[in-house]
Amino acid sequence: MNKNVQTCAQLINESNNITVLSGAGLSTKAGIPDFRGPDGIYNKIKIKNPENIFDIFYFYNEPSLFYKFHKEFLKNITNANPTFTHNFFVDLENKNKLNGIITQNIDSLHQKAGNKKVNEIHGGIWDNYCIECNKHYSYESIIKLLDKNEIAKCDICNSVIKPDIVFFGEQVKNFEYCRDLVEECDLLIIVGSSLSVVPASLLPYYCNSDIIIVNKGDIFFDYIPQDNLLIYENNDIDSFFVQVKKYCE
Ligand code: CNA
């Protein structure tokens, strides 16, 4: 038996104010590729600088690169269902153990699973707006526009529409509130993130309590307070939490 499983369950059982920091690795089992994992977008898309897809300055000059990717991404999201671990976090909220979820994901799977205390630090796909006249568009209307066009453009002024996702070069959402969630929690669980996107990756630095990391593959440890790191499980997230749940009260 993996000792980390038992320790993780024990920490969860003893905690009443858990903060979760999630990343793209949490949703790969739902069929949504991450960025930097072995089957991630950066490895699969054969272009020179895949970071440009989400670069705000690149987007303003050449939105077609982003929309080529986004069209496929929206199809994946529409068909995706929450994973075992998304549902495990719903249980934590139902048991009043959850302080909040900070997610770097834009797929809304935490909300689809039933979590209410979700903070999308990198925004989401549900709201979209014209970069010129600010008319807002729903997710459904963007899907319709992309059925017929390569780029989603405004029906009033013909300018480009941008989803309310935080691109590289833009400010993240509610950083101070997310920092408070990390500062005040009695257990921080980090899942499925390479912790390589600043400033979200800085958040663990503010943690005063125990930290659990479950992530398969390389991560950046630079902002993890080492004395607080009780568990680093380099494993598949669902396989780990399926075991943990057996020991949770
Ligand atoms: P990342 O940099 O792609 O890191 C993901 C990590 O998860 C990698 O280390 C993977 O090896 C690991 N991983 C993948 N699958 C599993 C698994 N089943 N079990 C355990 N570990 C796994 O992604 P981050 O979230 O750290 O980077 C932040 C970016 C990614 C944010 O801006 C997101 O918006 C963006 N993103 C989001 C989604 C989504 O919403 N689902 C998808 C792709 C990218």
Side-chain angles (χ1 to χ4, degrees):
M1 221 279 285
N2 180 342
K3 186 169 175 286
N4 283 346
V5 167
Q6 225 156 14
T7 312
C8 180
Q10 192 185 339
L11 287 169
I12 289 173
N13 288 339
E14 289 167 357
S15 303
N16 291 307
N17 216 15
I18 301 169
T19 292
V20 171
L21 172 61
S22 67
L26 178 61
S27 299
T28 53
K29 278 277 171 73
I32 304 173
D34 60 8
F35 275 175
R36 297 175 186 81
D39 298 319
I41 294 155
Y42 287 178
N43 281 325
K44 287 275 153 79
I45 290 188
K46 300 288 176 224
I47 60 171
K48 215 171 173 194
N49 296 309
E51 300 86 3
N52 285 342
I53 298 171
F54 284 101
D55 184 294
I56 191 62
F57 303 105
Y58 199 97
F59 177 80
Y60 284 137
N61 282 321
E62 190 43 77
S64 62
L65 177 68
F66 166 76
Y67 271 114
K68 213 164 132 191
F69 157 82
H70 197 50
K71 222 172 179 170
E72 286 307 306
F73 190 70
L74 289 180
K75 272 188 213 152
N76 280 332
I77 287 182
T78 309
N79 299 325
N81 288 311
T83 64
F84 177 89
T85 307
H86 284 100
N87 292 319
F88 179 77
F89 295 145
V90 177
D91 287 349
L92 295 185
E93 187 165 335
N94 290 341
K95 288 177 188 161
N96 284 326
K97 282 180 160 289
L98 193 73
N99 191 23
I101 295 177
I102 304 160
T103 188
Q104 299 169 82
N105 295 343
I106 52 174
D107 57 28
S108 292
L109 285 186
H110 284 298
Q111 294 92 319
K112 209 171 182 178
N115 275 115
K116 304 268 184 303
K117 296 178 174 182
V118 184
N119 301 278
E120 295 179 309
I121 192 166
H122 291 160
I125 53 164
W126 305 106
D127 192 18
N128 303 266
Y129 58 90
C130 169
I131 60 171
E132 200 56 44
C133 74
N134 205 33
K135 178 177 173 185
H136 282 248
Y137 291 84
S138 68
Y139 155 80
E140 289 81 8
S141 59
I142 296 298
I143 290 187
K144 273 191 199 145
L145 282 172
L146 291 178
D147 261 352
K148 298 190 201 112
N149 308 287
E150 280 188 6
I151 297 170
K153 287 198 174 169
C154 180
D155 54 18
I156 293 181
C157 69
N158 205 35
S159 294
V160 174
I161 300 169
K162 180 186 175 293
D164 195 25
I165 298 169
V166 176
F167 280 48
F168 294 124
E170 289 188 300
Q171 217 171 13
V172 298
K173 299 192 184 269
N174 304 322
F175 184 81
E176 284 75 20
Y177 181 70
C178 293
R179 190 190 57 204
D180 289 350
L181 287 178
V182 171
E183 234 165 27
E184 289 160 9
C185 71
D186 59 4
L187 178 65
L188 175 64
I189 304 179
I190 302 173
V191 285
S193 177
S194 61
L195 295 176
S196 55
V197 177
V198 178
S201 62
L202 302 179
L203 286 169
Y205 174 78
Y206 297 98
C207 181
N208 300 305
S209 59
D210 299 328
I211 300 178
I212 297 170
I213 298 178
V214 186
N215 191 75
K216 198 170 61 184
D218 294 341
I219 64 170
F220 287 88
F221 280 100
D222 297 23
Y223 303 110
I224 305 286
Q226 289 303 312
D227 290 348
N228 302 29
L229 182 59
L230 291 202
I231 297 176
Y232 168 47
E233 178 75 12
N234 190 337
N235 194 353
D236 176 71
I237 299 165
D238 280 355
S239 311
F240 182 70
F241 281 102
V242 163
Q243 296 305 315
V244 169
K245 193 175 178 183
K246 292 180 188 165
Y247 297 90
C248 282
E249 288 158 359

